[in-house]
Amino acid sequence: MAAPELFEEPFNADDYVERLAWRCTGVGIKEGGDHFDPKRLLEEFTCHIQDLKLLDDRIQRKVEKLEQSCQKEAREYARHVEELLKSNQVAFKHFQELDDHISNVATKVCHLGDQLEGVNAPRQRAVEAQSLMKYFNEFLNGSISSEVFSNRNKIQDAADIIQKLHLIAQELPFERFSGVKGRIASKYHDMEHQLIIEFTSAQKRGDIARMREMAAVMLHFKGYSHCVDVYIEQCQEGKFLFGDPFEEAVLLCQHVSRQVGDVFMSPENVMARLVQSIYETKLKGYVHERLEESLKNDVEQYLCRFHELYSRTLTLSKHLAELNIGTDHHSYLAKLTKAAFLSYLENYIDMEIDHLRNRSSTILQRFYESKNHQKRPIAVGSIQDLKERIRQRTNLALGPVVETHGETFLSQDVVISLLQESKMAFERCQKLSDQSDLPRNAVRIFNIVVEYLCNEHMDYALELALLAIPSADSRNTSLYFLDVVHQANTIFHLFDKQFSDHLMPLISSSSKMTECLQRKKEVIEQMEFKLATGIDRTLNCMVGQMKQILNAEQKKTDFRPEDEGRVINQYTTACAKVCTYVRHQVERVRRSMDGKNVEAVLTELGLRFHRLILEHLQQFVYSSNGGMLAICDLNEYRKSADDFQIPLVVQLFDSLHALCNLLVVAPDNLKQMCSGEQLTALDRNVLHAFVQLRVDYKSTRLGRHFS
């Protein structure tokens, strides 16, 4: 029989066989050994297999028995569920019958109640009419003796009677009942007064229940609104004397909002009246006092305080909008805010524009005074345009050159001050302008920025800088226009940032956006045209300076020395000075500009530099040693061209270097040299013209190589 300990969990067949072998022989199958007896193991396995078969049969019979028991229990459970379903259906049928019976009884009870009410209501009205007739009779006779009118504890009943008598009296003809109508009216007003006194006393005591009772009675009287006014007046008593009215208003309204719902039937209307009272009396008076005081001292202080008070009022409205003051509370609060500042909002933008104009003018005036500079009128119009065209085409100095001693008359500090003033103006404009007027007001501020920043400061500085640029043949080496370009570029970025950050949000949804974009485009194009003109004339001056260096330092004997046997220098003095000058100017261009502007200006300067060197070299006749020296110069010029980092300029100087090789190559190799990669694309006349510069051109008949 298989031992239970052989079936350990988790069951593994290999481990099971191994444990069985151990029990039989004392040695595992995997270990083997000298004492291993396979026959005994086989007999044990055979016997054990028979035991396992017997065990399997017993387990199978037990499983079948359990399955039969389970099926029997399932049938019993299904039968029990079926019985429960039948019982439930019977119970549901009884419940429906009971529900129908209850409905019938309820219908009969309601019908009986309606009949009783139909009988009782006329009776009550008759009793009430009789009672009113009794009280009316007292007023008719003039002797009011009922206790209800003299007992303070019955003031609510008395108020109800007087209110109904007052309605009845209004229907009576005046001729016959003038006396009783007058007495009822007098009592009516006296009752209103008593109710308000009682309400006020309860409010001072903090008796919310009594206040609610009095307010409910007063609801049917004409003086109900006076009751609300008294309540609001009492709420504000002792408030808004010394503290911050904005903070006190929030605290007061939050406190009242928690109480008013327990007192009045329409708390949102009472809250709206309270807010209206605060805005029209407390805040309006506070605003008037503070602004009138500021207006006497300084306009800037007035505008800043105006903006501050208006912003705080909008914040107050935002807090109050969270309270229950009616459905359309946003427009209601906006209307109250406008009313509180109405007299100041009407002329706000005119004061803003005048202040911005004065501040901008003062900032510029102080700047020019710090430079000891008196602004000079700049000629404009057709005559100036004509002079400019003539100067561009001929490089003639039409009129005296203005000497500025290197002063650009541009200041980043001034620009920041102007933009800061306009930024605050835009912020105030956004808050203080009506939405329909906001784009138009913002454009007016923008026009001031253009007038003083762009026209009075930048354009004036550019005009002065243009006038200060010397002519191309001048010996004046002061070329500070690139400094102007650098500062103007920085100012453009600041101007454009304010345009995007502060103006565009105010005009983006209006037709004024197109107008401002066009104005900005025109201003920038005008400035860019003047900058381009100045850069062009500055490049002409640079080339003129290089030409003067070459004319002064380059000698004809440099390239055709009398003594051909002397040692050749590395390069000429003229070349060294020109290369030094060019490197300095390239660095200035890189410091003064950014982006693609650097590439464009350096390309133009490189082209003019190449043209100057080409024309300069064509002025001389070259011996063999002179040609070698020219090649040495070209090597230095190529190094300067590499500083440009412009492929076109480098290519042009490589070609020019190849041309200079024609000055020293042996006559028999000329044709091969001209067919080289760098010279094959050049015109044959250009090559021929360069070969003609050789001193041996005529003697060796070099011209036949180009025939």
Side-chain angles (χ1 to χ4, degrees):
M1 195 68 181
E5 61 270 13
L6 294 177
F7 297 97
E8 295 180 356
E9 293 293 339
F11 180 78
N12 183 281
D14 292 339
D15 293 342
Y16 176 78
V17 172
E18 190 70 22
R19 287 194 297 271
L20 184 61
W22 268 103
R23 284 187 58 187
C24 178
T25 63
V27 181
I29 296 176
K30 296 178 182 179
E31 295 178 2
D34 297 334
H35 301 288
F36 180 72
D37 187 357
K39 292 182 178 180
R40 182 182 175 186
L41 182 64
L42 176 61
E43 293 174 358
E44 184 67 24
F45 276 7
T46 303
C47 181
H48 195 75
I49 288 171
Q50 294 298 326
D51 292 341
L52 289 175
K53 288 181 179 179
L54 294 175
L55 179 63
D56 180 64
D57 292 340
R58 284 199 301 273
I59 292 174
Q60 187 64 32
R61 288 194 296 272
K62 186 176 181 180
V63 168
E64 291 175 355
K65 184 177 180 181
L66 290 174
E67 287 179 348
Q68 292 175 359
S69 176
C70 182
Q71 291 174 358
K72 181 179 179 182
E73 289 183 5
R75 287 193 296 271
E76 288 291 330
Y77 180 76
R79 183 183 61 77
H80 182 64
V81 169
E82 185 177 359
E83 292 176 356
L84 290 176
L85 287 174
K86 292 180 180 178
S87 300
N88 184 56
Q89 290 176 352
V90 173
F92 183 72
K93 182 177 179 181
H94 291 166
F95 176 77
Q96 284 183 326
E97 293 175 354
L98 180 60
D99 184 58
D100 293 340
H101 183 66
I102 291 174
S103 298
N104 292 332
V105 173
T107 302
K108 293 178 180 179
V109 169
C110 290
H111 179 66
L112 180 60
D114 292 339
Q115 289 179 331
L116 292 174
E117 185 179 358
V119 173
N120 188 54
R123 179 178 176 278
Q124 287 183 341
R125 285 196 294 269
V127 171
E128 184 178 350
Q130 182 183 12
S131 176
L132 288 176
M133 290 174 62
K134 172 188 172 185
Y135 295 126
F136 183 82
N137 189 49
E138 291 184 9
F139 280 95
L140 183 62
N141 297 328
S143 57
I144 305 173
S145 57
S146 297
E147 181 188 4
V148 70
F149 296 115
S150 58
N151 190 345
R152 292 182 58 84
N153 295 327
K154 296 183 178 181
I155 188 173
Q156 293 171 261
D157 297 333
D160 181 60
I161 294 170
I162 289 298
Q163 192 267 337
K164 293 177 179 178
L165 289 176
H166 185 262
L167 293 176
I168 294 172
Q170 289 180 343
E171 302 296 328
L172 299 176
F174 182 77
E175 294 79 7
R176 293 181 55 189
F177 299 96
S178 58
V180 68
K181 292 182 67 162
R183 285 187 287 273
I184 292 176
S186 176
K187 191 64 176 178
Y188 180 87
H189 295 301
D190 182 59
M191 185 58 64
E192 278 188 336
H193 182 65
Q194 291 182 37
L195 290 171
I196 291 175
I197 291 176
E198 186 66 23
F199 180 88
T200 305
S201 300
Q203 185 176 3
K204 291 180 179 179
R205 297 192 309 270
D207 189 348
I208 302 298
R210 188 61 174 170
M211 291 171 63
R212 180 171 58 250
E213 293 174 358
M214 294 299 101
V217 174
M218 284 290 297
L219 183 62
H220 304 289
F221 281 77
K222 294 180 179 179
Y224 177 74
S225 60
H226 184 53
C227 176
V228 174
D229 293 337
V230 169
Y231 174 76
I232 292 173
E233 182 179 348
Q234 287 291 320
C235 289
Q236 298 180 69
E237 186 175 353
K239 304 293 191 300
F240 304 101
L241 297 178
F242 306 106
D244 186 344
F246 296 97
E247 294 180 1
E248 289 195 15
V250 174
L251 295 176
L252 174 62
C253 290
Q254 289 175 345
H255 170 71
V256 173
S257 67
R258 292 191 293 268
Q259 181 189 86
V260 70
D262 298 331
V263 177
F264 295 97
M265 298 293 293
S266 301
E268 65 277 2
N269 295 334
V270 179
M271 283 299 301
R273 292 273 292 275
L274 173 62
V275 171
Q276 180 182 1
S277 174
I278 293 174
Y279 274 70
E280 292 181 351
T281 58
K282 308 302 181 182
L283 286 186
K284 188 174 183 179
Y286 179 77
V287 166
H288 178 77
E289 179 184 352
R290 296 295 302 278
L291 291 184
E292 290 298 325
E293 177 186 351
S294 301
L295 191 57
K296 294 177 182 178
N297 299 330
D298 180 54
V299 176
E300 182 176 7
Q301 182 185 4
Y302 164 79
L303 290 172
C304 292
R305 185 164 291 177
F306 187 8
H307 179 248
E308 176 196 359
L309 292 174
Y310 198 85
S311 300
R312 295 192 67 187
T313 305
L314 293 179
T315 304
L316 172 62
S317 298
K318 183 179 179 181
H319 289 307
L320 297 183
E322 299 174 358
L323 306 177
N324 183 18
I325 59 173
T327 55
D328 195 15
H329 52 270
H330 289 293
S331 59
Y332 179 70
L333 290 169
K335 182 179 179 181
L336 293 177
T337 302
K338 294 291 184 184
F341 291 87
L342 182 60
S343 59
Y344 302 100
L345 290 172
E346 290 176 345
N347 61 347
Y348 152 70
I349 191 60
D350 293 330
M351 295 189 69
E352 185 73 79
I353 294 299
D354 291 342
H355 169 68
L356 183 59
R357 189 186 301 277
N358 292 334
R359 283 291 300 155
S360 301
S361 177
T362 301
I363 291 171
L364 291 180
Q365 183 178 352
R366 289 176 179 173
F367 169 70
Y368 293 123
E369 288 176 355
S370 68
K371 301 294 182 182
N372 293 322
H373 176 74
Q374 181 67 38
K375 286 192 72 173
R376 53 185 292 169
I378 302 297
V380 295
S382 57
I383 297 178
Q384 179 67 14
D385 295 340
L386 178 61
K387 287 183 177 181
E388 186 60 36
R389 291 195 203 99
I390 296 174
R391 182 167 183 171
Q392 288 180 13
R393 295 187 180 184
T394 64
N395 285 325
L396 296 177
L398 301 179
V401 175
V402 176
E403 181 57 55
T404 60
H405 305 287
E407 175 60 55
T408 63
F409 290 103
L410 284 175
S411 170
Q412 189 169 335
D413 292 337
V414 169
V415 172
I416 291 175
S417 297
L418 292 173
L419 292 178
Q420 182 64 23
E421 293 290 337
S422 57
K423 174 187 173 182
M424 292 188 294
F426 280 126
E427 290 176 352
R428 290 192 291 262
C429 177
Q430 184 176 12
K431 282 285 179 64
L432 302 177
S433 296
D434 189 83
Q435 286 301 313
S436 59
D437 298 330
L438 179 57
R440 181 169 61 255
N441 293 345
V443 171
R444 293 182 64 181
I445 295 175
F446 173 66
N447 290 336
I448 298 296
V449 177
V450 171
E451 177 183 353
Y452 284 92
L453 174 61
C454 300
N455 297 339
E456 295 294 330
H457 188 55
M458 288 187 62
D459 190 67
Y460 177 74
L462 289 178
E463 289 289 350
L464 281 183
L466 287 173
L467 294 175
I469 298 176
S471 60
D473 55 355
S474 173
R475 294 187 178 276
N476 183 1
T477 60
S478 177
L479 299 177
Y480 78 98
F481 191 83
L482 291 179
D483 298 332
V484 176
V485 173
H486 175 66
Q487 289 181 285
N489 188 40
T490 302
I491 295 173
F492 275 142
H493 287 307
L494 294 174
F495 172 71
D496 187 63
K497 179 173 175 57
Q498 183 176 89
F499 185 91
S500 302
D501 294 348
H502 296 95
L503 177 62
M504 283 299 291
L506 308 184
I507 61 173
S508 57
S509 58
S510 72
S511 60
K512 295 293 183 180
M513 183 177 71
T514 305
E515 175 186 335
C516 290
L517 289 173
Q518 182 62 29
R519 181 76 188 280
K520 174 190 169 188
K521 179 182 177 183
E522 292 173 356
V523 169
I524 292 180
E525 287 178 351
Q526 178 184 355
M527 299 294 178
E528 288 179 342
F529 173 76
K530 293 184 178 181
L531 289 172
T533 302
I535 292 172
D536 180 71
R537 284 159 55 179
T538 300
L539 295 181
N540 285 339
C541 289
M542 291 180 182
V543 174
Q545 294 292 329
M546 289 186 273
K547 190 173 183 180
Q548 290 183 29
I549 295 173
L550 292 173
N551 292 338
E553 301 293 337
Q554 198 84 71
K555 300 178 178 61
K556 291 186 178 182
T557 56
D558 288 342
F559 303 118
R560 192 177 181 181
E562 296 177 358
D563 183 8
E564 287 290 331
R566 68 180 176 85
V567 178
I568 300 175
N569 296 326
Q570 292 183 348
Y571 43 80
T572 64
T573 303
C575 172
K577 290 187 177 181
V578 168
C579 289
T580 301
Y581 181 81
V582 169
R583 290 190 183 97
H584 177 65
Q585 300 308 321
V586 169
E587 291 176 1
R588 289 190 64 187
V589 170
R590 292 192 185 281
R591 288 196 307 266
S592 303
M593 300 178 192
D594 56 8
K596 294 185 178 179
N597 293 330
V598 177
E599 181 180 349
V601 173
L602 288 181
T603 300
E604 183 61 28
L605 178 60
L607 293 176
R608 298 187 188 190
F609 177 38
H610 170 265
R611 189 182 307 115
L612 172 67
I613 299 302
L614 176 62
E615 293 174 353
H616 175 71
L617 292 175
Q618 289 177 331
Q619 297 176 8
F620 301 94
V621 177
Y622 299 86
S623 65
S624 178
N625 286 345
M628 291 300 297
L629 186 58
I631 291 176
C632 291
D633 281 0
L634 251 298
N635 283 331
E636 294 302 311
Y637 291 139
R638 286 172 66 189
K639 291 178 183 178
S640 297
D642 290 339
D643 293 337
F644 285 76
Q645 299 179 8
I646 304 296
L648 176 60
V649 176
V650 174
Q651 180 183 351
L652 289 174
F653 275 90
D654 288 343
S655 299
L656 185 56
H657 183 271
L659 279 175
C660 288
N661 286 331
L662 297 178
L663 300 175
V664 297
V665 70
D668 295 338
N669 296 332
L670 269 177
K671 191 170 184 179
Q672 180 182 355
M673 179 68 71
C674 293
S675 302
E677 180 181 356
Q678 291 181 327
L679 298 180
T680 186
L682 296 179
D683 187 84
R684 300 286 290 180
N685 293 329
V686 175
L687 301 178
H688 192 191
F690 231 82
V691 173
Q692 287 179 334
L693 301 177
R694 293 171 58 128
V695 71
D696 59 351
Y697 175 75
K698 294 182 180 180
S699 61
T700 57
R701 298 180 181 179
L702 293 175
R704 70 177 184 273
H705 294 283
F706 294 91
S707 58

